[in-house]
Amino acid sequence: MRKERKIINTNIRLNLCDEQDRQAWEYLQTMDREKYKSYTRAVVIALNDYFSREYRNEADPYLETREKEDAFLERVETAIRDGVKESVPMAMAKNLLEMLTPFVKESVGGKCLSDVATTMKNEITEDKLDWEKEADMDAALDFADSF
């Protein structure tokens, strides 16, 4: 069964002295022939995309700004996620050290116990400062996510 077709033929004239026309011609010459089988397919897709976006922007003038903001927030979230992935192993190691501290204190005797305790106390204090900074960062990110 043959598909019914109603074809309209039209011409496009491009002035290669005009920068926009020349650029359009270069796009047509370098387009992916696997994706776009003909100039007609490329022009139809480009026109539909362009005018659908134009009409959406007329109906909602802040659409483009929101799209840019959403893209920016997505990049920020990705960067934060990557940073958290890098810092989680260190945080887990610090937590493990805190849990093992009492056992280490019992197993070390004599004078060395005070040295070990002082060192561990300093590390725990640094850990608390790191956790406080991390808590502040989490609060800031929660605030940013609310938008």
Side-chain angles (χ1 to χ4, degrees):
M1 182 179 270
R2 187 177 170 129
K3 184 178 173 182
E4 186 177 331
R5 301 185 329 175
K6 185 176 181 181
I7 298 173
I8 296 173
N9 191 11
T10 187
N11 292 327
I12 298 175
R13 295 185 306 157
L14 301 173
N15 178 0
L16 297 182
C17 293
D18 181 8
E19 180 61 29
Q20 288 183 330
D21 288 13
R22 186 190 56 72
Q23 188 176 15
W25 177 248
E26 286 178 9
Y27 285 142
L28 288 173
Q29 295 304 301
T30 59
M31 70 183 182
D32 181 5
R33 294 295 180 159
E34 296 293 321
K35 187 174 181 180
Y36 306 105
K37 301 293 183 188
S38 66
Y39 290 150
T40 301
R41 283 292 103 214
V43 169
V44 165
I45 291 169
L47 285 171
N48 287 338
D49 182 57
Y50 176 80
F51 283 107
S52 67
R53 185 172 248 330
E54 281 289 309
Y55 295 146
R56 278 188 298 157
N57 284 341
E58 284 177 10
D60 185 1
Y62 298 108
L63 176 67
E64 188 173 335
T65 303
R66 281 197 312 274
E67 287 174 343
K68 288 179 182 176
E69 288 173 352
D70 290 345
F72 173 74
L73 287 176
E74 182 62 33
R75 289 194 312 266
V76 169
E77 288 174 358
T78 301
I80 291 168
R81 238 181 263 118
D82 293 345
V84 167
K85 285 179 185 176
E86 291 176 9
S87 67
V88 165
M90 282 302 282
M92 289 177 62
K94 289 177 183 179
N95 287 341
L96 183 60
L97 182 63
E98 286 178 13
M99 290 183 346
L100 294 176
T101 300
F103 300 109
V104 172
K105 286 181 182 178
E106 289 176 8
S107 66
V108 177
K111 286 184 182 177
C112 296
L113 179 61
S114 63
D115 294 337
V116 171
T118 304
T119 304
M120 290 190 166
K121 184 177 180 182
N122 290 341
E123 289 175 0
I124 291 171
T125 304
E126 289 175 8
D127 291 347
K128 286 181 182 178
L129 290 175
D130 289 344
W131 282 107
E132 289 172 2
K133 288 178 184 176
E134 196 168 327
D136 290 343
M137 182 60 82
D138 288 342
L141 292 176
D142 290 340
F143 176 76
D145 284 342
S146 67
F147 290 102

